[in-house]
Amino acid sequence: MKLYHKNPSVHNNFLGRPWKEFSRTVFISCRLEALITPQGWMPWKDDFALTTLYYGEFNNSGNGSNLSKRVQWSNRIPTEHVNVYSVTNFIQGDQWMLA
């Protein structure tokens, strides 16, 4: 963060970009610092995979979590769907994680 604050205009940090069709990336209850660009997400090339990806955010905090300037193809995960991305559902965490 020290380097970012020294010269913010040269540090463009994104949450992700689609490198394959049907890619999925979510950020849930994360602290996103100011170094995250307001757009949040970066396209790979032109509109590649933008119609098949799912990039979502839910309940994040910090200066980089403001959703008002996110790219139009990003998503706000609805509260009723957030558990789909839980460790138990998404990567069968209940089968390998210790309690």
Side-chain angles (χ1 to χ4, degrees):
M1 289 304 297
K2 190 182 278 188
L3 285 173
Y4 169 78
H5 288 299
K6 196 172 188 178
N7 193 356
S9 64
V10 301
H11 298 280
N12 294 311
N13 295 281
F14 296 88
L15 298 171
R17 66 182 187 169
W19 62 280
K20 294 283 185 182
E21 292 179 313
F22 301 98
S23 62
R24 302 285 183 262
T25 303
V26 297
F27 284 82
I28 299 172
S29 298
C30 296
R31 176 149 181 89
L32 304 176
E33 297 293 345
L35 58 87
I36 300 298
T37 62
Q39 299 85 357
W41 308 92
M42 179 182 183
W44 184 265
K45 183 177 181 194
D46 302 320
D47 63 354
F48 172 76
L50 298 184
T51 60
T52 63
L53 63 76
Y54 185 86
Y55 285 4
E57 299 178 63
F58 178 83
N59 195 38
N60 295 319
S61 62
N63 292 334
S65 68
N66 185 337
L67 300 174
S68 67
K69 295 183 180 175
R70 291 295 196 245
V71 293
Q72 66 181 12
W73 39 271
S74 70
N75 297 279
R76 296 176 185 185
I77 303 169
T79 303
E80 63 270 19
H81 295 159
V82 76
N83 285 332
V84 169
Y85 300 103
S86 72
V87 172
T88 300
N89 289 327
F90 199 61
I91 58 173
Q92 295 78 41
D94 59 334
Q95 296 176 24
W96 58 272
M97 291 181 67
L98 301 175

